[in-house]
Structure formats: C-alpha cells, structure tokens
Amino acid sequence: AALARLVTEAAAEAVLSSGRFTLGLSGGSLVAMLARELPPALSAVPTADPSRWLVAFCDERLVPLDDPESTEGAYRV
C-alpha cells in the first residue's frame, strides 16, 4: 500500500508540473501488488490521472501476451 501511495503521489506531482507521469514496470510479485493496491490509492489522489501516464515494461520478453513469461500480459489480466 505504501508503494502504491508513493506512485500516485509522484504521479500527481508529475502530471501537475509537466502534464505526464512516466512509470517503468517489472513483472513478478509487483503485478499482483499493484493490481490490488493501486486502484484504491488512485481513488484517494484524483490528480494522479492515469490517462496522463506513460507506462513501459522494463523486463518484457519476446513472447505472446498469453505466455506466462509476458510481463505486459500479466498486467493486462
């Protein structure tokens, strides 16, 4: 929950100052944690505006999205 709060606070600050927020995501346990913790954190900080985020997958593999090794696929689920 603390990480999700930090992300949303940083996002709100970036969106207000530059109009966008850039976030690099890895896979592993981060996927489930963010899926659980980020929505309530975003609700608490509406100025974080996810439509203004640029999201990149830092450790993406060249596999189909439905492959268990796909970081992007894991976030899409």
Side-chain angles (χ1 to χ4, degrees):
L3 176 59
R5 282 192 305 274
L6 287 173
V7 168
T8 55
E9 290 167 3
E13 185 176 315
V15 168
L16 289 173
S17 68
S18 67
R20 75 173 183 173
F21 175 63
T22 303
L23 179 65
L25 295 173
S26 63
S29 61
L30 186 64
V31 178
M33 187 281 297
L34 285 178
R36 181 181 62 250
E37 302 294 343
L38 199 52
L42 283 168
S43 294
V45 185
T47 55
D49 188 6
S51 71
R52 308 296 305 162
W53 293 22
L54 171 65
V55 177
F57 300 106
C58 299
D59 65 350
E60 186 56 30
R61 293 155 182 92
L62 296 175
V63 296
L65 291 176
D66 60 352
D67 187 293
E69 294 295 311
S70 172
T71 298
E72 181 180 354
Y75 279 100
R76 286 181 179 230
V77 174

